[in-house]
Amino acid sequence: MAEGNGKCFSRRERLKEIEVMVQKWWEEEQVFMAEAGENPPQDGEKFFGNFPFPYMNGYLHLGHAFSLSKLEFAAAFHRLRGANVLLPFSFHCTGMPIKASADKLAREIHQYGDPPVFPKEQEKEKNKKKQLYQWEIMSSVGISNREIREFQDPNKWISYFPPLAMEDLKAFGLGCDWRRSFVTTDRNPYFDSFVRWQMRKLKSMGKIVKDVRYTIFCPLDGQPCADHDRASGEGVQPQEYTIVKMEILKPLPKLEGKKVFLACATLRLETMYGQTNAWVLPHGEYGAYEINDDDDVLIMSYRAALNLAYQKYSRLPHKPTCLLHLTGYDLIGLPLKSPLSFNEVIFVLPMSTLSMDKGTGIIASVPSDAHSDSLALQHLKSTPALRAKYGIKDEWFMPVGVPPLVEGTIHVGEFAGRKVQEARPLIRSKLLEKGEGIIYCEPEKRVISRSGEECVVALTDQWYITYGEAEWKKLAEECLSTMKIYHDETRHGFEHTLSWLNQWACSRSFGLGTRIPWDQRFLVESLCDSTLYMAYYTVDP
């Protein structure tokens, strides 16, 4: 009986004693060690369960226990009915998270001392959610100051957390064959060899190619940022736009002698025939950026310029060159020549609701096609005080004209009479050919890498697995159709992934893992070494 509150915990304590006794018996009798039988098993005579190996940049948590309980219950059920059950468990250390955390810790010690003295809260940036330092995170889970400093070495994480996870899983009562447990990365020469075999096999089958394509990229790490490398933004892909170069017809100070354009990113080129003006955010911050070695200068947000710099549109690789800093106020009223608009001259007007986090921070206004543009123009026209605030003149409002699209068919311009799906690529090709536009990509949504850096889209030359190849994709779909899946939602998830999965970057230059066998500069990407590891359990030495 517990003292002071009159409650009796004798039953609980007895259950704990039984738990310890039974777990000891399991270990002594090697209950969970699975061996192959002399004869091939018949239906129902074997069960192999797998849990996605957890990442070892910290302790296991309740979420792991909840998910694992489903597998543990299933394995116990099949064991009770006499099946030969294999339930292994391993620990994933490949990729960015451990290396990023170790490097972050090293930067904090270098900047703030050992042990570090961090700035007080009021000296930090005032975010809604407090961002903990890596040292603070590790201290909060009970790691001593003396030991935290050792985690600057990524190998410390690999040697520290897996044994603790194994202890927790044994206490949990997991019916696991621990002989088959392993860690990934080249610290395990057997698994390292298995991954290298896998990559050589895929390459010999023509499934791995080198290609140049747009990919989510972390500037701080200097490499592509796949889903497993992200702190936020999982599943986000590059979004491709066309930037329309709208020539400024009035010289700007410090930019004399250069061709200066407003850069407008659009997904719907076919609507640009009806453009009446360009929108900017009055208090938005813009810059005039060099994009190549000639005299072309594009005005846009820094965010867009940074993305373009990683897509080979900058004088210096990966570094936007800004010749002049501007605000939206500086741009209002500038006359423009837009290459597709039927209006020979259009003007820049203010829009207070424009977002600087999408596109270039400059929007083409097509009121005949976009209701929001029509409303914004009407609001400006009918609000004298607003026009006076920005110095807007009546002649800056162009006539709306005839809608360029009617029921999915283009009714104006060179490609009149064609369906949008057919005309859009033709318009784009013509624009690019004449040098009046460029291709531009950015992340669909904000992506933050595990290093804490906001990602861009870069045009990279690297190794890819061709998951989208027609014959290979067909085999995967046929395989899925024969699988026994208990929930339609799960099947739909697989089908959706197969529908969009095309080329997958399988190489990295930063992090932990296995080297690409034929190109030692690169490591195998962390999800690519995790596709066949379930089979490795059956041969793990």
Side-chain angles (χ1 to χ4, degrees):
M1 180 177 290
E3 295 181 3
N5 57 16
K7 292 184 179 179
C8 179
F9 296 104
S10 58
R11 289 186 179 181
R12 187 192 67 180
E13 296 304 318
R14 178 55 181 156
L15 287 172
K16 290 174 67 176
E17 289 174 7
I18 294 172
E19 180 183 50
V20 172
M21 180 180 63
V22 170
Q23 288 180 356
K24 182 181 179 182
W25 180 79
W26 285 345
E27 187 169 356
E28 290 173 350
E29 297 298 318
Q30 301 180 348
V31 172
F32 304 124
M33 290 188 182
E35 301 289 355
E38 294 182 3
N39 299 310
Q42 301 299 311
D43 288 346
E45 291 184 353
K46 69 173 183 178
F47 177 82
F48 175 28
N50 177 72
F51 183 81
F53 47 19
Y55 204 82
M56 286 291 99
N57 59 339
Y59 297 109
L60 297 183
H61 51 71
L62 191 59
H64 291 112
F66 173 74
S67 299
L68 185 57
S69 65
K70 299 174 175 63
L71 172 60
E72 164 62 19
F73 295 159
F77 168 77
H78 287 285
R79 192 177 292 112
L80 286 171
R81 48 175 294 275
N84 187 10
V85 173
L86 172 59
L87 196 170
F89 199 98
S90 290
F91 307 100
H92 199 198
C93 303
T94 304
M96 278 290 301
I98 287 175
K99 185 69 167 66
S101 296
D103 289 350
K104 186 179 178 183
L105 185 64
R107 289 194 298 269
E108 291 172 5
I109 291 173
H110 176 75
Q111 185 173 358
Y112 300 113
D114 182 10
V117 179
F118 296 116
K120 294 181 179 179
E121 188 62 31
Q122 61 265 27
E123 297 175 23
K124 289 185 182 182
E125 293 183 14
K126 294 182 179 179
N127 297 326
K128 291 183 179 179
K129 184 178 180 182
K130 179 183 177 182
Q131 300 295 317
L132 292 176
Y133 292 99
Q134 187 64 44
W135 186 290
E136 292 176 325
I137 293 171
M138 306 193 77
S139 179
S140 70
V141 296
I143 302 175
S144 68
N145 284 357
R146 178 188 58 77
E147 199 164 22
I148 289 176
R149 64 176 61 94
E150 298 177 19
F151 285 86
Q152 296 176 83
D153 178 3
N155 289 306
K156 174 68 176 179
W157 300 71
I158 301 175
S159 62
Y160 185 86
F161 285 111
L164 295 176
M166 190 179 295
E167 287 181 18
D168 289 340
L169 290 166
K170 287 180 178 179
F172 173 76
L174 183 66
C176 177
D177 186 348
W178 288 110
R179 298 173 302 167
R180 302 170 189 270
S181 182
F182 61 86
V183 296
T184 64
T185 75
D186 53 6
R187 282 196 55 171
N188 179 344
Y190 300 104
F191 185 75
D192 187 64
S193 177
F194 176 77
V195 175
R196 284 188 280 112
W197 165 81
Q198 173 191 341
M199 299 301 287
R200 285 195 300 267
K201 181 71 174 177
L202 288 171
K203 191 169 188 293
S204 69
M205 295 168 64
K207 305 300 185 185
I208 295 181
V209 298
K210 202 166 192 182
D211 197 5
V212 177
R213 65 187 285 265
Y214 295 102
T215 188
I216 305 294
F217 191 92
C218 175
L220 182 61
D221 299 330
Q223 68 173 6
C225 186
D227 278 0
H228 203 246
D229 304 326
R230 303 176 188 178
S232 64
E234 184 176 349
V236 173
Q237 297 291 316
Q239 173 69 67
E240 186 171 294
Y241 296 84
T242 303
I243 282 184
V244 178
K245 296 162 66 175
M246 301 181 291
E247 185 177 0
I248 297 177
L249 303 177
K250 175 182 176 181
L252 291 176
K254 299 183 181 180
L255 299 177
E256 293 86 354
K258 296 185 178 294
K259 292 182 179 179
V260 185
F261 303 86
L262 251 60
C264 167
T266 181
L267 296 170
R268 302 185 63 201
L269 272 174
E270 66 279 1
T271 67
M272 298 289 285
Y273 293 111
Q275 185 183 3
T276 61
N277 62 280
W279 298 116
V280 296
L281 183 66
H283 58 273
E285 295 182 357
Y286 298 87
Y289 295 94
E290 294 181 294
I291 61 165
N292 44 37
D293 291 329
D294 57 28
D295 290 327
D296 281 7
V297 173
L298 295 188
I299 293 178
M300 55 191 152
S301 66
Y302 172 78
R303 176 181 167 278
L306 183 62
N307 275 275
L308 279 176
Y310 279 86
Q311 296 163 29
K312 306 187 187 306
Y313 284 110
S314 62
R315 186 177 288 275
L316 299 174
H318 304 167
K319 293 182 179 179
T321 306
C322 185
L323 302 179
L324 181 64
H325 292 283
L326 301 154
T327 68
Y329 288 103
D330 300 318
L331 303 175
I332 294 171
L334 287 177
L336 308 172
K337 179 178 176 58
S338 187
L340 293 176
S341 176
F342 282 145
N343 293 300
E344 291 188 9
V345 179
I346 61 174
F347 293 86
V348 181
L349 295 175
M351 177 182 276
S352 59
T353 57
L354 188 151
S355 172
M356 298 293 288
D357 295 329
K358 203 76 173 171
T360 59
I362 296 166
I363 297 178
S365 173
V366 187
S368 61
D369 185 74
H371 187 56
S372 59
D373 289 336
S374 179
L375 289 176
L377 276 177
Q378 289 300 322
H379 182 60
L380 272 180
K381 289 179 180 180
S382 61
T383 314
L386 196 58
R387 298 212 311 271
K389 176 181 177 180
Y390 296 115
I392 296 172
K393 300 178 181 179
D394 290 341
E395 57 265 29
W396 294 355
F397 295 101
M398 296 295 110
V400 172
V402 178
L405 304 178
V406 177
E407 296 182 352
T409 300
I410 294 183
H411 282 257
V412 295
E414 182 180 351
F415 303 103
R418 296 181 186 250
K419 292 293 184 181
V420 167
Q421 293 83 351
E422 179 187 359
R424 185 180 294 162
L426 297 176
I427 298 170
R428 186 190 213 192
S429 296
K430 195 83 171 178
L431 202 71
L432 299 177
E433 181 184 328
K434 295 170 68 175
E436 295 174 336
I438 59 176
I439 295 172
Y440 166 70
C441 287
E442 66 180 26
E444 295 169 322
K445 297 177 183 177
R446 194 166 185 250
V447 177
I448 303 296
S449 75
R450 292 187 182 271
S451 299
E453 183 84 350
E454 183 170 356
C455 292
V456 298
V457 169
L459 194 58
T460 60
D461 177 15
Q462 61 169 342
W463 296 102
Y464 295 91
I465 299 179
T466 58
Y467 285 120
E469 183 186 86
E471 285 301 314
W472 208 13
K473 183 176 180 179
K474 182 181 177 183
L475 286 173
E477 291 171 339
E478 290 174 354
C479 177
L480 177 62
S481 69
T482 63
M483 291 175 64
K484 185 176 182 180
I485 297 176
Y486 293 95
H487 298 283
D488 289 341
E489 185 179 351
T490 303
R491 183 177 296 279
H492 295 331
F494 280 122
E495 291 170 345
H496 174 69
T497 298
L498 287 174
S499 71
W500 65 258
L501 189 59
N502 189 17
Q503 287 188 336
W504 183 273
C506 62
S507 59
R508 294 289 178 270
S509 56
F510 178 81
L512 305 177
T514 297
R515 292 283 167 185
I516 298 280
W518 58 89
D519 194 344
Q520 294 286 311
R521 297 172 301 163
F522 296 104
L523 295 153
V524 177
E525 186 263 337
S526 63
L527 292 181
C528 295
D529 82 349
S530 306
T531 52
L532 296 180
Y533 74 93
M534 297 73 79
Y536 178 76
Y537 281 128
T538 64
V539 297
D540 180 23

